[in-house]
Amino acid sequence: MYNTKAYSVASSTSPFARTTIARRDLTGRDVQIEILFCGICHSDLHLARNEWSGAMPAVYPCVPGHEIVGRVTKVGSGVTRFKPGDLVGVGCMVDSDRTCPECQAGLEQFCPNTTLTYNSPDKHLGGVTYGGYSESVVVDEHFVLRVPPGLDPAGAAPLLCAGITTYSPMRHWGVTKGKKVGVVGLGGLGHMGVKFAHAIGAHVVAFTRSPGKKEAALRLGADEAVVSRDADEMKRHAGSFDFILDAVAADHDVGAYIQLLRRDGNITLVGAPAKPLAVPAFGLLLGRRSLSGSPIGGIRETQEMLDFCGAHHITADVEVIPIQKVDEAYERLLRSDVRYRFSIDMASLR
Ligand SMILES: [Zn+2]
Ligand SMILES: [Zn+2]
């Protein structure tokens, strides 16, 4: 074991404070990573404040962070894919059983025995896993991703969660060149959705609540921006979308978007509103439309997404902050006061 600096919360109401945590000594399959940047995902805030206490109670001290980009510092004797100096990423998972049908299919995100990057039972050290708001992390090489050269590491960090969460459902639902794709909600997830759909060659329509955000949506690569409160504007798009990515984490009228799908069109939820959404059955059955959800993506697909980003020069739009500002960043996140993701510069912790 060795000690590394980290930022943690001691309870659901505590501010973040500097601390020291233990990381394991490398096994033959492990990669040790010096963390350069870690994105701030909305899940970090939910966990730190124990807002998902039903499904995933927080264990304190809690060190969040699952949008990690760093530099390999050391590898175990059996590691073949990485060497010191490589630029790498770690997302929401650091382990799984590797034997179940989901793992066999490369869909580790659905493994019943997955180990999440933070707040998951730690098989090596006991207690729970600690995430990326830290100096260094040790991860099995299977869960380490290669970050293509040329991508800005601060902007690449959010690809590990926000990126794969929006890329994966587009691939699954067959978004290709020429398809009409809608993106609802222009936050950390939605802005990545617009970038991916645009890079794939789809016709991208961004939905926003405020007319003031239209310009920003077009700058991100949307072909059109629609103000969702404008009934006439919405009506003009009725029955026309192949796919809609719904990245809204608050209560909203999903039925209004179902109406915009064409026959066999799909709307996928990637946000997680606390209250159940009202779904109009007629909206789905007339047109054989479908509503689904999707969490992150498997390791193979996460690498594919990163390689796609390398080829298309895609990163998240980030505001880089020192780790001392993480509490303030959480407050701003709650007000959607960030364009579009915070990325913590871990040099501020050293
Ligand atoms: Zn996340
Ligand atoms: Zn499994």
Side-chain angles (χ1 to χ4, degrees):
M1 273 189 339
Y2 68 97
N3 287 330
T4 190
K5 292 176 192 144
Y7 252 52
S8 70
V9 284
S11 77
S12 63
T13 53
S14 310
F16 274 90
R18 175 184 280 269
T19 186
T20 301
I21 54 171
R23 296 296 194 189
R24 66 177 180 264
D25 290 323
L26 272 66
T27 70
R29 309 197 301 200
D30 283 336
V31 175
Q32 185 190 56
I33 301 160
E34 176 195 34
I35 300 174
L36 300 175
F37 291 93
C38 185
I40 296 181
C41 175
H42 215 112
S43 317
D44 299 355
L45 187 156
H46 288 305
L47 242 298
R49 299 185 175 178
N50 205 16
E51 291 169 357
W52 288 342
S53 55
M56 210 186 286
V59 178
Y60 297 102
C62 174
V63 179
H66 60 206
E67 294 184 338
I68 298 169
V69 165
R71 190 74 67 187
V72 175
T73 42
K74 223 197 274 180
V75 298
S77 55
V79 170
T80 55
R81 293 167 48 237
F82 299 99
K83 57 177 193 320
D86 288 350
L87 190 65
V88 294
V90 177
C92 301
M93 304 177 284
V94 288
D95 207 356
S96 69
D97 60 24
R98 324 287 171 88
T99 53
C100 76
E102 308 292 4
C103 287
Q104 296 292 310
L107 298 169
E108 298 89 347
Q109 74 272 34
F110 301 120
C111 173
N113 299 304
T114 185
T115 302
L116 299 177
T117 304
Y118 61 84
N119 204 61
S120 233
D122 187 327
K123 285 188 232 167
H124 298 265
L125 298 179
V128 293
T129 50
Y130 294 128
Y133 296 9
S134 59
E135 224 182 354
S136 154
V137 66
V138 175
V139 180
D140 185 299
E141 77 166 324
H142 181 76
F143 290 84
V144 178
L145 288 308
R146 196 169 288 286
V147 176
L151 289 186
D152 164 48
L159 299 176
L160 277 305
C161 176
I164 186 61
T165 298
T166 50
Y167 178 90
S168 180
M170 287 198 205
R171 285 302 192 208
H172 180 76
W173 290 99
V175 171
T176 49
K177 194 171 160 61
K179 292 277 171 81
K180 186 169 174 182
V181 171
V183 177
V184 189
L186 275 188
L189 292 174
H191 98 288
M192 288 309 309
V194 170
K195 289 187 183 208
F196 284 133
H198 174 71
I200 290 168
H203 181 86
V204 190
V205 180
F207 294 94
T208 168
R209 274 181 305 174
S210 47
K213 279 191 176 174
K214 271 186 153 185
E215 266 311 303
L218 299 178
R219 269 200 305 277
L220 288 169
D223 297 285
E224 300 176 56
V226 169
V227 176
S228 54
R229 281 177 309 197
D230 187 328
D232 286 342
E233 245 190 298
M234 291 288 278
K235 214 171 181 177
R236 257 188 285 147
H237 290 273
S240 68
F241 283 86
D242 296 288
F243 176 77
I244 297 177
L245 184 82
D246 183 340
V248 179
D251 192 27
H252 62 291
D253 180 12
V254 70
Y257 297 101
I258 290 172
Q259 289 300 335
L260 304 188
L261 295 170
R262 58 185 299 162
R263 172 182 43 86
D264 290 325
N266 171 267
I267 179 166
T268 292
L269 307 177
V270 291
K275 273 195 289 177
L277 296 170
V279 178
F282 269 111
L284 290 177
L285 60 89
L286 299 176
R288 200 165 54 189
R289 298 151 169 154
S290 63
L291 165 71
S292 54
S294 183
I296 54 171
I299 292 299
R300 191 162 60 213
E301 192 175 52
T302 305
Q303 188 61 63
E304 178 193 307
M305 178 274 307
L306 286 168
D307 294 342
F308 181 87
C309 289
H312 294 268
H313 312 289
I314 294 174
T315 52
D317 288 13
V318 292
E319 178 177 337
V320 175
I321 58 160
I323 198 157
Q324 292 78 9
K325 289 205 166 166
V326 65
D327 289 304
E328 188 188 318
Y330 276 23
E331 291 311 311
R332 288 181 52 199
L333 192 59
L334 288 172
R335 303 194 299 265
S336 302
D337 177 23
V338 55
R339 298 288 168 275
Y340 288 90
R341 204 72 152 174
F342 290 109
S343 186
I344 306 168
D345 182 354
M346 224 46 77
S348 59
L349 183 57
R350 296 197 175 90

